[in-house]
Amino acid sequence: MSDDNKTQQLESADDNNSDKNNLELSNNQNEKSAPIEETTDSSNDTVEKTTAAAASNEEVPENVSETSEVIEENDEVINEIEESNAEDAEDEGNKDRHKIEVKEYDTMSLEALAIELEKLLKNEKIQAIRSHVNSINTEFKLKLNALIDEKKEDFINDGGNEIDFYYSSPVQKRYKEAYKTYRTKLNEHYQSLEKNLKQNLADKLEIIEELKGLINLEENINTTYKHFKELQERWRTTGPIPRDKYNNAWNSYHHHVEMFYDFLHLNRDLRDLDFKHNLEKKLLIIERAEELAQDDNVMRAFRELQELHKMWKEELGPVGKQHREEIWGRFKAATKIINDKRHLYYQEIDLVYEKNLETKLQIIADIEALNNYENISHGGLQKKIKQVEALRESFFNAGKVPIKVNEATWAKFKEAVRNFNRKKNAFYKGLKKEQYKNLQLKLELIKIADDNKNSDDFEIVTPLMKKIQSDWKKIGHVPRKDSDKIWKQFKAACNSYFDRIHAKRNAASQEQVDAYDKKNAFLSALKNLELPTDKKEGIALIKKQIKEWQDVGRVPHDKRYIDGKFQKAIDSLLTKLKVEKTEAEMIKYENKLDNLNASDDNRNLDNERTFIRKKIDEVKGQINQLENNLQFFTNVNEDNPLVKEVHTNIKNHKATLDLLKAKLQKIKSLY
């Protein structure tokens, strides 16, 4: 039988033993044993103090010991179990945290951490993932800050001004959105929980008051006992209460339950039957705890032990005084064994962490050793760069280190990598000779382009121009200050040549003139086009008109204004159909792309793709800037006009970004 099944067997034992433990009441109804706690077999002074406190409506002292013989070494673990169960009692979803795998977050990449956070939000209860999210958040911040430091250093080493540095990445935005969702859901959960906790506490205090009154009722003992059982059931089914009230409320409840059992001395059969049932159940719990003491899975055993303590305390009542000290002693003894094994487990983990620390310190030393070089070649440095990357990966995969040295180890690692990068960047800053050689090669290509841009020998020059364009791409970097300038010169010369080819090809021909006449007639007919009432059919009809327009063919270069008229007519038809702006824009854009794709020169489509990509980068930058601006309004109301305007702008920019991405995807499908 599995461990889970054994625990479930304990939880359902009431049902299995119902025939044995049912009581004959006046209405012959079967009563199930109610959830009450093991009484304390303490000194008379303790009992008197507890009774006096209850009688004066004062709070009962917390953590009343189970026996007068307190086992000191067990107090810490029992208190830990009590506190954990009190936390779970406040919010039952908390206990699911034990079932969630704790992964090696320190070995994960930024993207993997963002994905893991999204998975937790999707698959787990929000209150159960707090410790996991905190660990993920710590690792993400450390790694993101390290990445930003590296990017900033590269930016400065390349001649940039620190004040102009800005870095953002899609994974950073993805993570921020997921973490914001987590905070929102957690706040909503606790706001809802707070209301329920207060009401449940009030309900349980009311049950305690009703328990007090049972002793003074003048009615049949079976009727009173039935009422008592109903109160126990109400207590069990009442939801969670605040954890800081948990022990006091339970102790007070438990005290009045015991007083009722003392009241039952007039009817020992009822009381002794309950005592017998509770003893049987508690012996089952002890047997399970003793089994867990032999379990090699220490953490699983301890978590189940917590559940057993909860069952012992919350679901079972007292046993006969002659058994109390003995069974509690057995239960505490099993608890001590499990806890000792857990301590040993943690000690072994500490040894692993120390070993991981040794590994990481050695990796740092290896990186520092790679930084000691003179007169190295480009190839040699590239080899060292790969070695550092491998060591960097090994560092992240080396596992956790003791928490007290975690930050210091991380700082030492960052400094070693930073020193290597500084020396690497210094090397490449001095590597200008090759860049100037590349500059000369590109200047030669510019001269060839300039010499041939006015040639009419298209059959010979066109392959030549395409070849020098290909050669340009193969040549390496040139000095930054010359890069844009020579590219513009080369691009202007090539464009001048190809524009002349286009101008010749676009000379009006009879075929193009005929096409213009057909399009003129088509446009007139389009103005009188009757659209169907169904929107989908209307869109299909419009797309058909666009296709027919394209099939007519090209018009003379000086007559292309007719395409603009056609677009206006299509706009009018789409407006009549009440087509959404984005969908209408894509329909028109497909028409534009079809025209570009029909051209003999691929540059038109290439230029459109470059333009869309540039616009996407611009819009992303604007969104990032607006989101950064929001961080300055942390203490400002969401209803603030300025904040609302920023949110509106972000929303509009995101809509534009989605449209641009759709356009880019459409362009890519044409290649």
Side-chain angles (χ1 to χ4, degrees), residues 597-614:
N597 198 36
S599 171
D600 293 333
D601 187 3
N602 289 333
R603 286 184 309 155
N604 293 329
L605 201 57
D606 292 341
N607 290 340
E608 181 65 13
R609 180 171 60 176
T610 301
F611 171 78
I612 293 296
R613 282 177 171 169
K614 183 177 179 182

Side-chain angles (χ1 to χ4, degrees), residues 42 51 81 90 104 165 263 267 284 311 316 361 371 383 408 434 437 457 568 586 601 604 612 636 663 668:
S42 55
T51 306
I81 291 172
E90 179 181 62
E104 297 292 335
F165 174 76
F263 170 69
N267 192 328
L284 285 175
M311 291 166 62
L316 298 176
L361 290 177
N371 200 26
K383 184 177 180 181
E434 184 177 352
K437 179 182 177 182
D457 192 353
K568 289 182 179 179
M586 286 305 300
D601 187 3
N604 293 329
I612 293 296
V636 180
K663 288 183 176 181
K668 289 180 178 179

Side-chain angles (χ1 to χ4, degrees), residues 122-168:
K122 180 180 179 182
N123 300 325
E124 307 294 346
K125 293 180 179 178
I126 196 70
Q127 67 271 40
I129 63 174
R130 182 174 55 194
S131 63
H132 300 75
V133 173
N134 288 342
S135 297
I136 290 173
N137 197 42
T138 298
E139 293 299 332
F140 190 90
K141 286 181 178 179
L142 282 173
K143 291 183 178 179
L144 179 64
N145 289 337
L147 178 62
I148 291 175
D149 287 345
E150 289 180 15
K151 296 294 183 182
K152 180 188 285 187
E153 194 167 327
D154 289 342
F155 177 77
I156 295 172
N157 288 334
D158 286 341
N161 192 328
E162 183 174 0
I163 198 172
D164 297 325
F165 174 76
Y166 174 80
Y167 177 78
S168 179

Side-chain angles (χ1 to χ4, degrees), residues 519-535:
K519 284 192 173 182
N520 239 335
F522 190 99
L523 196 59
S524 298
L526 189 64
K527 293 177 180 178
N528 299 319
L529 181 68
E530 291 291 331
L531 292 172
T533 56
D534 182 80
K535 186 177 179 181

